[in-house]
mmCIF file of all heavy atoms in Angstrom:
data_model
loop_
_atom_site.group_PDB
_atom_site.id
_atom_site.type_symbol
_atom_site.label_atom_id
_atom_site.label_comp_id
_atom_site.label_asym_id
_atom_site.label_seq_id
_atom_site.Cartn_x
_atom_site.Cartn_y
_atom_site.Cartn_z
ATOM 1 N N TYR A 242 6.405 -2.761 3.649
ATOM 2 C CA TYR A 242 7.466 -3.427 2.883
ATOM 3 C C TYR A 242 8.499 -2.380 2.414
ATOM 4 O O TYR A 242 8.120 -1.255 2.128
ATOM 5 C CB TYR A 242 6.890 -4.159 1.664
ATOM 6 C CG TYR A 242 6.050 -5.374 2.016
ATOM 7 C CD1 TYR A 242 4.728 -5.233 2.363
ATOM 8 C CD2 TYR A 242 6.630 -6.623 2.049
ATOM 9 C CE1 TYR A 242 3.971 -6.341 2.728
ATOM 10 C CE2 TYR A 242 5.881 -7.735 2.398
ATOM 11 C CZ TYR A 242 4.558 -7.585 2.737
ATOM 12 O OH TYR A 242 3.827 -8.696 3.084
ATOM 13 N N ASP A 243 9.719 -2.835 2.276
ATOM 14 C CA ASP A 243 10.812 -2.079 1.687
ATOM 15 C C ASP A 243 10.844 -2.477 0.231
ATOM 16 O O ASP A 243 11.056 -3.652 -0.087
ATOM 17 C CB ASP A 243 12.097 -2.437 2.394
ATOM 18 C CG ASP A 243 13.208 -1.491 2.109
ATOM 19 O OD1 ASP A 243 13.109 -0.717 1.147
ATOM 20 O OD2 ASP A 243 14.221 -1.552 2.829
ATOM 21 N N VAL A 244 10.557 -1.566 -0.694
ATOM 22 C CA VAL A 244 10.406 -1.850 -2.102
ATOM 23 C C VAL A 244 11.365 -1.054 -2.953
ATOM 24 O O VAL A 244 11.494 0.156 -2.779
ATOM 25 C CB VAL A 244 8.936 -1.514 -2.540
ATOM 26 C CG1 VAL A 244 8.720 -1.763 -3.995
ATOM 27 C CG2 VAL A 244 7.924 -2.330 -1.714
ATOM 28 N N GLY A 245 12.047 -1.741 -3.865
ATOM 29 C CA GLY A 245 12.990 -1.058 -4.768
ATOM 30 C C GLY A 245 12.259 -0.406 -5.923
ATOM 31 O O GLY A 245 11.088 -0.668 -6.193
ATOM 32 N N PRO A 246 12.949 0.470 -6.695
ATOM 33 C CA PRO A 246 12.293 1.199 -7.769
ATOM 34 C C PRO A 246 11.713 0.346 -8.884
ATOM 35 O O PRO A 246 10.670 0.672 -9.438
ATOM 36 C CB PRO A 246 13.405 2.141 -8.278
ATOM 37 C CG PRO A 246 14.694 1.647 -7.723
ATOM 38 C CD PRO A 246 14.344 0.838 -6.483
ATOM 39 N N GLU A 247 12.431 -0.741 -9.237
ATOM 40 C CA GLU A 247 11.901 -1.600 -10.319
ATOM 41 C C GLU A 247 10.597 -2.286 -9.912
ATOM 42 O O GLU A 247 9.627 -2.319 -10.671
ATOM 43 C CB GLU A 247 12.922 -2.660 -10.737
ATOM 44 C CG GLU A 247 14.247 -2.100 -11.247
ATOM 45 C CD GLU A 247 15.239 -1.773 -10.129
ATOM 46 O OE1 GLU A 247 14.957 -2.077 -8.961
ATOM 47 O OE2 GLU A 247 16.290 -1.223 -10.481
ATOM 48 N N LEU A 248 10.569 -2.795 -8.685
ATOM 49 C CA LEU A 248 9.352 -3.437 -8.162
ATOM 50 C C LEU A 248 8.238 -2.405 -8.053
ATOM 51 O O LEU A 248 7.102 -2.687 -8.382
ATOM 52 C CB LEU A 248 9.604 -4.108 -6.832
ATOM 53 C CG LEU A 248 8.400 -4.770 -6.163
ATOM 54 C CD1 LEU A 248 7.759 -5.801 -7.103
ATOM 55 C CD2 LEU A 248 8.804 -5.452 -4.873
ATOM 56 N N LEU A 249 8.560 -1.211 -7.596
ATOM 57 C CA LEU A 249 7.540 -0.154 -7.455
ATOM 58 C C LEU A 249 6.898 0.145 -8.819
ATOM 59 O O LEU A 249 5.681 0.285 -8.920
ATOM 60 C CB LEU A 249 8.140 1.079 -6.837
ATOM 61 C CG LEU A 249 7.109 2.159 -6.432
ATOM 62 C CD1 LEU A 249 6.175 1.618 -5.357
ATOM 63 C CD2 LEU A 249 7.800 3.389 -5.924
ATOM 64 N N ALA A 250 7.698 0.194 -9.863
ATOM 65 C CA ALA A 250 7.183 0.438 -11.194
ATOM 66 C C ALA A 250 6.264 -0.689 -11.625
ATOM 67 O O ALA A 250 5.203 -0.468 -12.229
ATOM 68 C CB ALA A 250 8.329 0.624 -12.194
ATOM 69 N N ARG A 251 6.652 -1.940 -11.311
ATOM 70 C CA ARG A 251 5.809 -3.088 -11.657
ATOM 71 C C ARG A 251 4.484 -3.056 -10.892
ATOM 72 O O ARG A 251 3.425 -3.323 -11.424
ATOM 73 C CB ARG A 251 6.532 -4.418 -11.413
ATOM 74 C CG ARG A 251 7.636 -4.724 -12.367
ATOM 75 C CD ARG A 251 7.929 -6.233 -12.432
ATOM 76 N NE ARG A 251 8.162 -6.858 -11.159
ATOM 77 C CZ ARG A 251 9.337 -6.918 -10.510
ATOM 78 N NH1 ARG A 251 10.382 -6.313 -11.053
ATOM 79 N NH2 ARG A 251 9.439 -7.558 -9.356
ATOM 80 N N LEU A 252 4.578 -2.659 -9.609
ATOM 81 C CA LEU A 252 3.348 -2.562 -8.789
ATOM 82 C C LEU A 252 2.428 -1.455 -9.288
ATOM 83 O O LEU A 252 1.224 -1.617 -9.316
ATOM 84 C CB LEU A 252 3.716 -2.324 -7.323
ATOM 85 C CG LEU A 252 4.291 -3.540 -6.610
ATOM 86 C CD1 LEU A 252 4.901 -3.113 -5.244
ATOM 87 C CD2 LEU A 252 3.290 -4.654 -6.430
ATOM 88 N N ASP A 253 3.027 -0.333 -9.697
ATOM 89 C CA ASP A 253 2.215 0.766 -10.286
ATOM 90 C C ASP A 253 1.432 0.234 -11.480
ATOM 91 O O ASP A 253 0.209 0.496 -11.612
ATOM 92 C CB ASP A 253 3.102 1.904 -10.780
ATOM 93 C CG ASP A 253 3.522 2.832 -9.611
ATOM 94 O OD1 ASP A 253 3.061 2.661 -8.472
ATOM 95 O OD2 ASP A 253 4.345 3.739 -9.874
ATOM 96 N N HIS A 254 2.095 -0.539 -12.323
ATOM 97 C CA HIS A 254 1.443 -1.091 -13.538
ATOM 98 C C HIS A 254 0.339 -2.109 -13.080
ATOM 99 O O HIS A 254 -0.771 -2.028 -13.571
ATOM 100 C CB HIS A 254 2.458 -1.785 -14.425
ATOM 101 C CG HIS A 254 1.875 -2.416 -15.607
ATOM 102 N ND1 HIS A 254 1.413 -1.690 -16.714
ATOM 103 C CD2 HIS A 254 1.606 -3.714 -15.889
ATOM 104 C CE1 HIS A 254 0.900 -2.517 -17.611
ATOM 105 N NE2 HIS A 254 1.005 -3.773 -17.124
ATOM 106 N N PHE A 255 0.664 -2.958 -12.135
ATOM 107 C CA PHE A 255 -0.274 -3.968 -11.649
ATOM 108 C C PHE A 255 -1.498 -3.297 -11.034
ATOM 109 O O PHE A 255 -2.648 -3.751 -11.242
ATOM 110 C CB PHE A 255 0.408 -4.851 -10.582
ATOM 111 C CG PHE A 255 -0.497 -5.830 -9.949
ATOM 112 C CD1 PHE A 255 -0.876 -6.983 -10.622
ATOM 113 C CD2 PHE A 255 -1.006 -5.612 -8.658
ATOM 114 C CE1 PHE A 255 -1.756 -7.903 -10.026
ATOM 115 C CE2 PHE A 255 -1.885 -6.495 -8.069
ATOM 116 C CZ PHE A 255 -2.250 -7.655 -8.731
ATOM 117 N N GLU A 256 -1.324 -2.197 -10.296
ATOM 118 C CA GLU A 256 -2.405 -1.517 -9.627
ATOM 119 C C GLU A 256 -3.149 -0.555 -10.526
ATOM 120 O O GLU A 256 -4.093 0.097 -10.074
ATOM 121 C CB GLU A 256 -1.892 -0.768 -8.384
ATOM 122 C CG GLU A 256 -1.390 -1.678 -7.263
ATOM 123 C CD GLU A 256 -2.484 -2.380 -6.504
ATOM 124 O OE1 GLU A 256 -3.667 -2.205 -6.836
ATOM 125 O OE2 GLU A 256 -2.150 -3.156 -5.576
ATOM 126 N N GLY A 257 -2.734 -0.387 -11.790
ATOM 127 C CA GLY A 257 -3.374 0.541 -12.668
ATOM 128 C C GLY A 257 -3.174 1.993 -12.243
ATOM 129 O O GLY A 257 -4.067 2.835 -12.390
ATOM 130 N N CYS A 258 -2.006 2.260 -11.700
ATOM 131 C CA CYS A 258 -1.664 3.607 -11.210
ATOM 132 C C CYS A 258 -1.135 4.415 -12.405
ATOM 133 O O CYS A 258 -0.285 3.935 -13.137
ATOM 134 C CB CYS A 258 -0.573 3.463 -10.129
ATOM 135 S SG CYS A 258 -0.038 4.982 -9.381
ATOM 136 N N PRO A 259 -1.610 5.632 -12.603
ATOM 137 C CA PRO A 259 -2.470 6.455 -11.755
ATOM 138 C C PRO A 259 -3.925 6.474 -12.171
ATOM 139 O O PRO A 259 -4.688 7.306 -11.722
ATOM 140 C CB PRO A 259 -1.867 7.841 -11.904
ATOM 141 C CG PRO A 259 -1.457 7.866 -13.335
ATOM 142 C CD PRO A 259 -1.028 6.448 -13.682
ATOM 143 N N THR A 260 -4.391 5.572 -13.039
ATOM 144 C CA THR A 260 -5.756 5.639 -13.543
ATOM 145 C C THR A 260 -6.769 5.067 -12.564
ATOM 146 O O THR A 260 -7.751 5.695 -12.205
ATOM 147 C CB THR A 260 -5.852 4.876 -14.891
ATOM 148 O OG1 THR A 260 -4.830 5.311 -15.721
ATOM 149 C CG2 THR A 260 -7.200 5.104 -15.537
ATOM 150 N N LEU A 261 -6.545 3.815 -12.100
ATOM 151 C CA LEU A 261 -7.452 3.141 -11.202
ATOM 152 C C LEU A 261 -7.128 3.473 -9.731
ATOM 153 O O LEU A 261 -7.970 3.801 -8.955
ATOM 154 C CB LEU A 261 -7.347 1.625 -11.465
ATOM 155 C CG LEU A 261 -8.475 0.742 -10.923
ATOM 156 C CD1 LEU A 261 -9.829 1.182 -11.463
ATOM 157 C CD2 LEU A 261 -8.201 -0.724 -11.288
ATOM 158 N N TYR A 262 -5.836 3.367 -9.468
ATOM 159 C CA TYR A 262 -5.329 3.678 -8.128
ATOM 160 C C TYR A 262 -4.282 4.798 -8.271
ATOM 161 O O TYR A 262 -3.673 4.931 -9.329
ATOM 162 C CB TYR A 262 -4.694 2.493 -7.442
ATOM 163 C CG TYR A 262 -5.665 1.441 -7.008
ATOM 164 C CD1 TYR A 262 -6.089 0.427 -7.830
ATOM 165 C CD2 TYR A 262 -6.139 1.412 -5.682
ATOM 166 C CE1 TYR A 262 -6.982 -0.555 -7.445
ATOM 167 C CE2 TYR A 262 -7.006 0.449 -5.287
ATOM 168 C CZ TYR A 262 -7.430 -0.526 -6.129
ATOM 169 O OH TYR A 262 -8.322 -1.493 -5.692
ATOM 170 N N ARG A 263 -4.093 5.553 -7.198
ATOM 171 C CA ARG A 263 -3.013 6.560 -7.179
ATOM 172 C C ARG A 263 -2.138 6.263 -5.962
ATOM 173 O O ARG A 263 -2.619 5.832 -4.913
ATOM 174 C CB ARG A 263 -3.550 7.982 -7.125
ATOM 175 C CG ARG A 263 -4.340 8.269 -5.871
ATOM 176 C CD ARG A 263 -4.918 9.686 -5.866
ATOM 177 N NE ARG A 263 -5.841 9.831 -4.742
ATOM 178 C CZ ARG A 263 -5.481 10.120 -3.485
ATOM 179 N NH1 ARG A 263 -4.186 10.318 -3.201
ATOM 180 N NH2 ARG A 263 -6.325 10.215 -2.523
ATOM 181 N N ARG A 264 -0.851 6.520 -6.112
ATOM 182 C CA ARG A 264 0.091 6.330 -5.011
ATOM 183 C C ARG A 264 0.215 7.614 -4.221
ATOM 184 O O ARG A 264 0.427 8.665 -4.816
ATOM 185 C CB ARG A 264 1.454 5.874 -5.581
ATOM 186 C CG ARG A 264 2.358 5.351 -4.559
ATOM 187 C CD ARG A 264 3.485 4.480 -5.135
ATOM 188 N NE ARG A 264 3.881 4.670 -6.461
ATOM 189 C CZ ARG A 264 4.918 5.405 -6.883
ATOM 190 N NH1 ARG A 264 5.630 6.110 -5.999
ATOM 191 N NH2 ARG A 264 5.269 5.418 -8.145
ATOM 192 N N ASP A 265 0.039 7.527 -2.921
ATOM 193 C CA ASP A 265 0.129 8.745 -2.067
ATOM 194 C C ASP A 265 0.617 8.359 -0.689
ATOM 195 O O ASP A 265 0.789 7.159 -0.389
ATOM 196 C CB ASP A 265 -1.255 9.411 -2.003
ATOM 197 C CG ASP A 265 -1.185 10.910 -1.712
ATOM 198 O OD1 ASP A 265 -0.089 11.404 -1.339
ATOM 199 O OD2 ASP A 265 -2.251 11.567 -1.853
ATOM 200 N N VAL A 266 0.835 9.346 0.148
ATOM 201 C CA VAL A 266 1.327 9.106 1.520
ATOM 202 C C VAL A 266 0.205 8.676 2.419
ATOM 203 O O VAL A 266 -0.861 9.301 2.402
ATOM 204 C CB VAL A 266 2.016 10.362 2.050
ATOM 205 C CG1 VAL A 266 2.380 10.192 3.511
ATOM 206 C CG2 VAL A 266 3.248 10.702 1.213
ATOM 207 N N VAL A 267 0.417 7.650 3.195
ATOM 208 C CA VAL A 267 -0.505 7.207 4.220
ATOM 209 C C VAL A 267 0.157 7.414 5.569
ATOM 210 O O VAL A 267 1.372 7.204 5.703
ATOM 211 C CB VAL A 267 -0.919 5.699 4.007
ATOM 212 C CG1 VAL A 267 0.250 4.762 4.126
ATOM 213 C CG2 VAL A 267 -2.023 5.306 4.996
ATOM 214 N N VAL A 268 -0.605 7.862 6.544
ATOM 215 C CA VAL A 268 -0.078 8.060 7.891
ATOM 216 C C VAL A 268 -0.420 6.826 8.704
ATOM 217 O O VAL A 268 -1.574 6.387 8.733
ATOM 218 C CB VAL A 268 -0.670 9.310 8.536
ATOM 219 C CG1 VAL A 268 -0.109 9.489 9.967
ATOM 220 C CG2 VAL A 268 -0.349 10.534 7.716
ATOM 221 N N LEU A 269 0.574 6.238 9.327
ATOM 222 C CA LEU A 269 0.372 5.026 10.134
ATOM 223 C C LEU A 269 0.053 5.398 11.592
ATOM 224 O O LEU A 269 0.186 6.535 12.006
ATOM 225 C CB LEU A 269 1.597 4.119 10.054
ATOM 226 C CG LEU A 269 1.981 3.737 8.600
ATOM 227 C CD1 LEU A 269 3.203 2.858 8.566
ATOM 228 C CD2 LEU A 269 0.808 3.066 7.885
ATOM 229 N N ALA A 270 -0.418 4.396 12.330
ATOM 230 C CA ALA A 270 -0.878 4.627 13.681
ATOM 231 C C ALA A 270 0.198 5.232 14.595
ATOM 232 O O ALA A 270 -0.080 6.017 15.517
ATOM 233 C CB ALA A 270 -1.372 3.313 14.301
ATOM 234 N N ASP A 271 1.497 4.889 14.314
ATOM 235 C CA ASP A 271 2.595 5.415 15.155
ATOM 236 C C ASP A 271 3.084 6.779 14.701
ATOM 237 O O ASP A 271 4.051 7.330 15.198
ATOM 238 C CB ASP A 271 3.780 4.410 15.174
ATOM 239 C CG ASP A 271 4.463 4.276 13.812
ATOM 240 O OD1 ASP A 271 4.054 4.940 12.821
ATOM 241 O OD2 ASP A 271 5.390 3.467 13.722
ATOM 242 N N GLY A 272 2.398 7.355 13.672
ATOM 243 C CA GLY A 272 2.732 8.698 13.191
ATOM 244 C C GLY A 272 3.709 8.691 12.052
ATOM 245 O O GLY A 272 3.974 9.718 11.412
ATOM 246 N N SER A 273 4.308 7.512 11.722
ATOM 247 C CA SER A 273 5.228 7.471 10.597
ATOM 248 C C SER A 273 4.424 7.444 9.275
ATOM 249 O O SER A 273 3.189 7.320 9.259
ATOM 250 C CB SER A 273 6.079 6.229 10.702
ATOM 251 O OG SER A 273 5.316 5.024 10.597
ATOM 252 N N GLU A 274 5.147 7.649 8.189
ATOM 253 C CA GLU A 274 4.498 7.702 6.869
ATOM 254 C C GLU A 274 5.054 6.636 5.951
ATOM 255 O O GLU A 274 6.192 6.216 6.093
ATOM 256 C CB GLU A 274 4.752 9.086 6.239
ATOM 257 C CG GLU A 274 4.086 10.216 7.003
ATOM 258 C CD GLU A 274 4.317 11.556 6.308
ATOM 259 O OE1 GLU A 274 5.198 11.647 5.447
ATOM 260 O OE2 GLU A 274 3.600 12.510 6.672
#
Side-chain angles (χ1 to χ4, degrees):
Y242 290 85
D243 194 345
V244 177
E247 299 85 5
L248 178 55
L249 191 61
R251 287 203 309 275
L252 288 168
D253 280 354
H254 178 75
F255 175 77
E256 294 286 1
C258 181
T260 311
L261 196 58
Y262 288 87
R263 64 182 170 83
R264 193 160 24 96
D265 206 347
V266 173
V267 63
V268 179
L269 303 180
D271 67 1
S273 65
E274 296 181 344

